[in-house]
Amino acid sequence: MTKKNNHNLIKTFYTITFGLMVIFSTINITYAADANILISKANEDRTQNNLKKLEFNQELTNAAQAKVNDMFANNYFAHFSPTGKSPWDFITASGYNYAYAGENLAIGYTDDAELNTAWMNSPDHRANILDKNYTQIGMAVKTAEFDGVKTTIVVQEFGAPMAIVTTQPVNSIKPQVVAGTNSSLNLQTGPSFNQMFTTSVRIVLGVLFIIFVSVIYFFFREQKSAKIVA
């Protein structure tokens, strides 16, 4: 290869690298917790504590979805809405007739294991997850703009329907609602360090792969076009 060809190859190398950096810098990489994984982790914690697993319930899930939508729509993060709506208001509105109900909230978490650990490290949230009275669970996860920042809010609803809790008369049961007061142990507005590191590594490897392929392509193209004299 001539010096001119080497210069063109280096120029191409830097052009591709710069172009890829610009492209990746404009990509809005978003993360979201996974409701199914969080339910599985809650049940793992219950199993480890000799408690029955919680069954998925669509009405509780609908209540959780309504709650997370309401928080984004009215820009608040709390068990009680600015209008005074309580967790059990959302649960009742979903059609779920409960004897026991509870709610866990989290904001900014995108890693399922990290969020579940945070809940389990909080006495109020741990009490909800390990409450022996609960038999069912519903979850909602939503990522949208909150206070001008794109973030994820997670709602975890627990319940036990009135009909299967006890054989006592319905009017003798006093509904119990547990709502943790310290709803977010780790307020974040973006992905965790581990996710950022993993994404960065993937981007770097992708860039290096594209550069490697480009170098090989230009090398063989130059080899093919080279004239041989003897």
Side-chain angles (χ1 to χ4, degrees):
M1 250 187 233
T2 63
K3 289 184 178 180
K4 183 177 180 181
N5 288 334
N6 285 333
H7 177 74
N8 289 337
L9 184 59
I10 294 173
K11 184 178 179 181
T12 301
F13 173 87
Y14 283 116
T15 300
I16 294 174
T17 303
F18 177 76
L20 289 171
M21 289 176 65
V22 171
I23 292 173
F24 281 118
S25 67
T26 60
I27 296 176
N28 184 18
I29 301 174
T30 59
Y31 302 88
D34 189 293
N36 292 326
I37 293 176
L38 287 168
I39 291 175
S40 295
K41 288 188 175 298
N43 279 328
E44 288 174 9
D45 293 326
R46 289 178 67 87
T47 300
Q48 291 172 7
N49 287 272
N50 300 316
L51 296 169
K52 290 184 179 180
K53 291 184 177 181
L54 300 169
E55 297 178 356
F56 171 83
N57 181 271
Q58 187 60 55
E59 289 174 340
L60 287 175
T61 296
N62 293 342
Q65 190 62 57
K67 177 62 179 285
V68 76
N69 288 339
D70 191 65
M71 284 192 287
F72 274 112
N74 295 289
N75 201 52
Y76 73 96
F77 176 72
H79 292 291
F80 291 83
S81 74
T83 59
K85 231 176 174 183
S86 68
W88 46 99
D89 287 331
F90 288 96
I91 293 174
T92 300
S94 73
Y96 191 87
N97 184 25
Y98 66 88
Y100 299 93
E103 176 180 87
N104 282 345
L105 303 177
I107 186 171
Y109 287 88
T110 54
D111 183 273
D112 303 296
E114 183 182 10
L115 171 52
N116 189 70
T117 298
W119 273 339
M120 289 299 289
N121 286 338
S122 166
D124 288 335
H125 301 87
R126 179 186 178 88
N128 269 342
I129 293 173
L130 301 183
D131 193 317
K132 65 180 181 180
N133 292 311
Y134 298 145
T135 59
Q136 298 176 329
I137 188 173
M139 295 279 306
V141 177
K142 184 174 182 178
T143 300
E145 189 170 299
F146 184 85
D147 272 343
V149 178
K150 195 168 188 179
T151 190
T152 298
I153 294 181
V154 181
V155 179
Q156 189 177 50
E157 303 286 11
F158 304 91
M162 182 72 74
I164 67 171
V165 170
T166 180
T167 57
Q168 297 180 34
V170 172
N171 59 10
S172 68
I173 300 174
K174 183 178 180 181
Q176 173 188 342
V177 179
V178 181
T181 55
N182 186 21
S183 304
S184 178
L185 297 179
N186 184 16
L187 182 58
Q188 301 174 338
T189 56
S192 65
F193 172 77
N194 289 337
Q195 289 173 319
M196 292 177 65
F197 178 76
T198 301
T199 302
S200 299
V201 170
R202 289 178 179 176
I203 291 175
V204 170
L205 290 176
V207 171
L208 291 177
F209 176 76
I210 294 175
I211 291 173
F212 173 76
V213 172
S214 300
V215 170
I216 295 298
Y217 168 76
F218 283 107
F219 174 77
F220 280 103
R221 191 182 72 169
E222 291 295 335
Q223 290 294 319
K224 185 176 181 181
S225 62
K227 295 180 180 179
I228 302 175
V229 293

